[in-house]
Amino acid sequence: MLGSNCTQATEFSLVGFTENPATQVTLFLLFLLTYLVTILGNLGMITLIRASPLLHSPMYYFLGNLAFVNLCTSTMITPRMLFGVFLGKKRMAYAGCLAQVFTSALFLVTECFLLAVMAYDRYVAICQPLLYPLVMSPERCSQLVTWSYLLGLTNGMGQTIGMSSLFFCGSSTINLFFCDISLLILLSTSDTTLSLAILRTASSLLGVPSILVVLASYVAIIPTILSISSAEGKHKAFSTCASHLTIVSIFYGALIFMYLVPRSDTSRGGEKWVAVLYTVVTPMLNPWIYSLRNQEVKEAWRRL
């Protein structure tokens, strides 16, 4: 119940990683370098896919959209973290926090479904190669990507509605470097039933199915790859799938910890570093993992 002297918070305070000045400088430079590499890698990947005819296929169409989502995710979070948490401007207005909840919820769920679509694409290419041109037609690919964005938009709107119904007493401190809806629910002094219902429903109906699609795809893919007689074909298939599995493991592992594992006092200390994995690390790794391990991308760079 709200106290009579409690007023709605108009801003939030974001907690940094450390109070040690030397460590702060080191982390600032590290995250700044990571952000610059993220921008360079994802913009380069988008440009290369659009410019090279070698990469005009469903797999790279999905990868180009993944690079765009990674670019948006990183840009919405990392610059604010650099200039806020590390440079002393830790306070964020309520409206800014609301916008960050919307954008992060939108792009995280969109990335979940893009990764699931990419796993399904690999399944059809490896397990059903004769049906691939029909199943993964340009129209079908556009529909899959459009639905990924629409589901992300639905999640963003739902989480924003959930936050707008919350009441925060005075100046609230968020033990993270961006506004995350799961932590905001814990900070609220009002009834959180609606917000919790939206968060749990979104996690169950949007997060879990995308994970199951990835798992089911690779359960079928791995035996098929092992049955390939050609060593070159087996190596190519494994190389492509290994890149995708690396990103999927890091990204989904971090999201499961943040949104599906019950909160405990012992787990809260590591939340900010887990959040770094899916907001900072994977957007940086995506373009480089797919380019360094992919001969078609390397050849496209050489020709370009």
Side-chain angles (χ1 to χ4, degrees), residues 147-167:
W147 272 108
S148 297
Y149 284 108
L150 288 176
L151 290 170
L153 180 62
T154 301
N155 183 59
M157 293 175 64
Q159 303 301 346
T160 304
I161 292 172
M163 180 181 168
S164 64
S165 68
L166 298 177
F167 190 94

Side-chain angles (χ1 to χ4, degrees), residues 122-157:
R122 291 299 85 205
Y123 160 75
V124 178
I126 294 172
C127 301
Q128 307 288 338
L130 297 179
L131 296 177
Y132 187 79
L134 177 63
V135 175
M136 303 306 292
S137 64
E139 294 79 11
R140 178 67 58 80
C141 292
S142 297
Q143 291 171 359
L144 290 171
V145 169
T146 300
W147 272 108
S148 297
Y149 284 108
L150 288 176
L151 290 170
L153 180 62
T154 301
N155 183 59
M157 293 175 64

Side-chain angles (χ1 to χ4, degrees), residues 6-302:
C6 184
T7 57
Q8 170 73 340
T10 58
E11 61 182 15
F12 297 90
S13 179
L14 303 176
V15 175
F17 293 89
T18 178
E19 295 299 326
N20 186 290
T23 307
Q24 281 187 337
V25 172
T26 302
L27 289 175
F28 175 83
L29 294 175
L30 178 62
F31 284 120
L32 177 61
L33 177 62
T34 301
Y35 179 63
L36 294 176
V37 172
T38 301
I39 298 299
L40 176 64
N42 285 289
L43 280 179
M45 182 63 71
I46 294 171
T47 303
L48 181 66
I49 290 172
R50 293 179 63 88
S52 175
L54 282 176
L55 305 182
H56 289 177
S57 65
M59 174 182 169
Y60 297 105
Y61 174 66
F62 298 138
L63 185 56
N65 280 277
L66 182 64
F68 171 74
V69 169
N70 288 158
L71 198 63
C72 293
T73 300
S74 184
T75 301
M76 294 299 172
I77 293 176
T78 307
R80 181 64 184 81
M81 175 180 67
L82 292 173
F83 290 101
V85 175
F86 291 113
L87 296 183
K89 299 179 180 179
K90 296 185 178 182
R91 297 196 176 275
M92 176 180 286
Y94 181 88
C97 196
L98 195 68
Q100 211 169 52
V101 167
F102 173 76
T103 54
S104 61
L106 188 162
F107 290 118
L108 286 178
V109 166
T110 301
E111 183 167 354
C112 283
F113 279 96
L114 284 176
L115 290 173
V117 167
M118 292 173 70
Y120 177 70
D121 172 73
R122 291 299 85 205
Y123 160 75
V124 178
I126 294 172
C127 301
Q128 307 288 338
L130 297 179
L131 296 177
Y132 187 79
L134 177 63
V135 175
M136 303 306 292
S137 64
E139 294 79 11
R140 178 67 58 80
C141 292
S142 297
Q143 291 171 359
L144 290 171
V145 169
T146 300
W147 272 108
S148 297
Y149 284 108
L150 288 176
L151 290 170
L153 180 62
T154 301
N155 183 59
M157 293 175 64
Q159 303 301 346
T160 304
I161 292 172
M163 180 181 168
S164 64
S165 68
L166 298 177
F167 190 94
F168 301 93
C169 187
S171 179
S172 298
T173 299
I174 303 174
N175 189 27
L176 205 61
F177 52 89
F178 72 100
C179 289
D180 178 73
I181 186 63
S182 62
L183 295 185
L184 288 168
I185 291 174
L186 294 176
L187 288 175
S188 176
T189 56
S190 60
D191 183 10
T192 59
T193 303
L194 175 61
S195 300
L196 282 173
I198 293 174
L199 181 61
R200 290 169 180 169
T201 302
S203 300
S204 301
L205 297 182
L206 299 179
V208 174
S210 62
I211 295 174
L212 293 178
V213 169
V214 173
L215 291 176
S217 297
Y218 279 101
V219 165
I221 286 172
I222 293 175
T224 304
I225 293 178
L226 294 175
S227 66
I228 297 176
S229 57
S230 169
E232 182 180 354
K234 186 179 296 186
H235 178 268
K236 183 178 179 180
F238 263 124
S239 179
T240 303
C241 292
S243 302
H244 186 253
L245 273 175
T246 301
I247 296 300
V248 164
S249 301
I250 297 174
F251 184 75
Y252 278 117
L255 288 184
I256 289 172
F257 180 87
M258 286 292 291
Y259 298 108
L260 294 180
V261 174
R263 290 284 191 271
S264 67
D265 292 336
T266 56
S267 67
R268 288 175 187 172
E271 282 178 349
K272 62 184 66 176
W273 294 109
V274 173
V276 166
L277 288 177
Y278 65 85
T279 59
V280 179
V281 175
T282 55
M284 177 195 68
L285 288 180
N286 270 335
W288 301 105
I289 286 180
Y290 281 106
S291 61
L292 294 176
R293 295 183 59 88
N294 194 302
Q295 294 300 323
E296 290 178 337
V297 174
K298 294 178 182 179
E299 180 62 25
W301 274 118
R302 283 193 289 268

